[in-house]
Amino acid sequence: MLLFSAATLLFSALLASAHPHHTREEAAAQEAASQALVQLVQGHSNFVTEINKESPGLLEQLEKDGQKPTFEFIGCSDSRVSEGTIFDAKPGTFFTQRNIANQYSLSDSNAQSWMAYGISELGVTHIVVLGHYGCGGVAASIASPAGLADVSIAGATIEAWVNPIRQLFQTSNRTEIVQLREANAGKEKVEEPEYDDPGFRALVEENAKHSADMIFADPVIKAHYAAVAKPKPVEAVTVLRRRNQRPVRRSGTEGEATQNVFIHTWVYDIRTGELKDLDHSYGPPGVDIPKLGPLLEQRTAETAHAEKMSA
């Protein structure tokens, strides 16, 4: 650690001496930029130390056996909504896709390939769609778009991405969203809503549900559920393991993965850290879907009981 600190000081000194004619503001900005990198290096050092202490051999095992994630995760790119942090998850837990406002589109080949690979090659069991209250992409879809004279290249790119959510906002019949839409009607300029606005929170939930609906509508999922439902003779079912993959049950005649896959829709509260199960889930026909909600309720009851006993 002393060696790391000495190297950090030397790195900062070299940056300062490299540009002696910077103004005070430029020097401060340069120092802030270098310190940001220092924090990343320190964070990585902490990660390596902790993972080897708490889970010795895990990284080597993941390299040797490959990833075997149980979960596919599609969430927002927001820096406050990291799946590894929220679920205190170790490497190898999630196969992840993140974008602004956790959107899934049938025209997005990146997202489709993520979902298809997770199901067919990695053998995931759960697909989690996680929205979050206070989502900037959802807020932008409620606010007035920038005028053509004011829009930048970056702004136009963002506006095009959130446009499907804007359409959802304009067409949803959910009461809270309708009320917000009516309240905004006639305003010359609509600002982004406050964090606790009921319509804003409702749209966050409806947007997450819509992504789950789109995943369920994807031909890859439809084909997978059809393969799961199709009767197969015992001798035709084999277990296949490729390098860097979990064993995946496949039909010996069609080569299709046949594990059950469940789609869940949850929302994360960035203010409190709490999770909410929207009870909007999909699974193979005739198969009970495991839910997060009862587990959260059980944890809440156990916590309340423990607090009562310790009082």
Side-chain angles (χ1 to χ4, degrees), residues 133-147:
Y133 296 124
C135 180
V138 176
S141 71
I142 295 172
S144 299

Side-chain angles (χ1 to χ4, degrees), residues 7-308:
T8 299
L9 292 173
L10 177 60
F11 178 57
S12 299
L14 288 173
L15 284 176
S17 63
H19 303 280
H21 302 298
H22 278 172
T23 65
R24 181 177 300 177
E25 290 78 11
E26 290 172 336
Q30 187 71 15
E31 175 65 16
S34 65
Q35 287 301 315
L37 292 179
V38 168
Q39 291 177 8
L40 280 188
V41 174
Q42 181 63 66
H44 174 251
S45 178
N46 294 340
F47 162 75
V48 172
T49 299
E50 291 301 316
I51 196 72
N52 287 324
K53 177 182 177 181
E54 296 178 0
S55 304
L58 174 62
L59 298 182
E60 292 89 343
Q61 192 69 32
L62 286 171
E63 185 281 325
K64 178 182 177 181
D65 294 341
Q67 58 173 326
K68 305 177 183 66
T70 302
F71 299 94
E72 280 197 296
F73 175 93
I74 180 166
C76 185
S77 300
D78 194 304
S79 61
R80 300 164 293 182
V81 194
S82 167
E83 69 281 2
T85 302
I86 293 172
F87 296 100
D88 194 22
K90 290 182 171 60
T93 302
F94 292 102
F95 187 58
T96 299
Q97 166 79 203
R98 292 174 67 181
N99 59 54
I100 294 176
N102 45 270
Q103 297 186 74
Y104 189 90
S105 169
L106 297 179
S107 62
D108 184 349
S109 60
N110 179 28
Q112 279 194 306
S113 61
W114 154 80
M115 191 265 290
Y117 188 82
I119 292 173
S120 65
E121 302 301 324
L122 299 180
V124 300
T125 303
H126 301 279
I127 300 176
V128 174
V129 179
L130 185 72
H132 71 95
Y133 296 124
C135 180
V138 176
S141 71
I142 295 172
S144 299
L148 293 177
D150 301 323
V151 69
S152 63
I153 295 176
T157 302
I158 297 168
E159 176 60 30
W161 180 257
V162 303
N163 187 60
I165 313 175
R166 191 180 295 280
Q167 296 302 314
L168 180 62
F169 176 62
Q170 294 298 331
T171 58
S172 174
N173 59 6
R174 181 165 166 173
T175 301
E176 303 96 313
I177 296 175
V178 171
Q179 290 174 344
L180 178 57
R181 201 164 58 224
E182 291 175 347
N184 290 341
K187 291 184 179 179
E188 184 174 343
K189 183 178 181 180
V190 177
E191 301 293 342
E192 292 189 357
E194 296 294 327
Y195 185 86
D196 290 318
D197 186 290
F200 181 18
R201 294 171 73 87
L203 187 58
V204 164
E205 296 178 0
E206 294 305 308
N207 178 56
K209 291 178 183 178
H210 180 69
S211 288
D213 293 342
M214 290 298 97
I215 293 174
F216 178 66
D218 194 290
V220 172
I221 282 286
K222 293 297 186 185
H224 182 81
Y225 283 167
V228 171
K230 186 184 302 181
K232 300 176 182 64
V234 175
E235 62 274 14
V237 178
T238 62
V239 175
L240 173 66
R241 179 194 290 273
R242 295 180 183 172
R243 188 180 186 277
N244 295 336
Q245 295 178 192
R246 75 159 60 223
V248 179
R249 292 185 63 80
R250 298 177 183 272
S251 163
T253 56
E254 298 186 1
E256 295 174 315
T258 55
Q259 80 280 7
N260 288 331
V261 175
F262 305 100
I263 304 168
H264 310 278
T265 315
W266 306 339
V267 172
Y268 174 70
D269 192 325
I270 60 173
R271 178 187 290 166
T272 66
E274 294 299 319
L275 283 171
K276 179 180 180 179
D277 186 349
L278 297 183
D279 197 22
H280 188 83
S281 305
Y282 295 101
V287 178
D288 289 338
I289 301 173
K291 300 290 185 69
L292 180 72
L295 297 176
L296 294 176
E297 293 173 2
Q298 179 182 349
R299 184 188 65 181
T300 299
E302 290 174 350
T303 300
H305 177 72
E307 292 174 350
K308 182 178 179 180

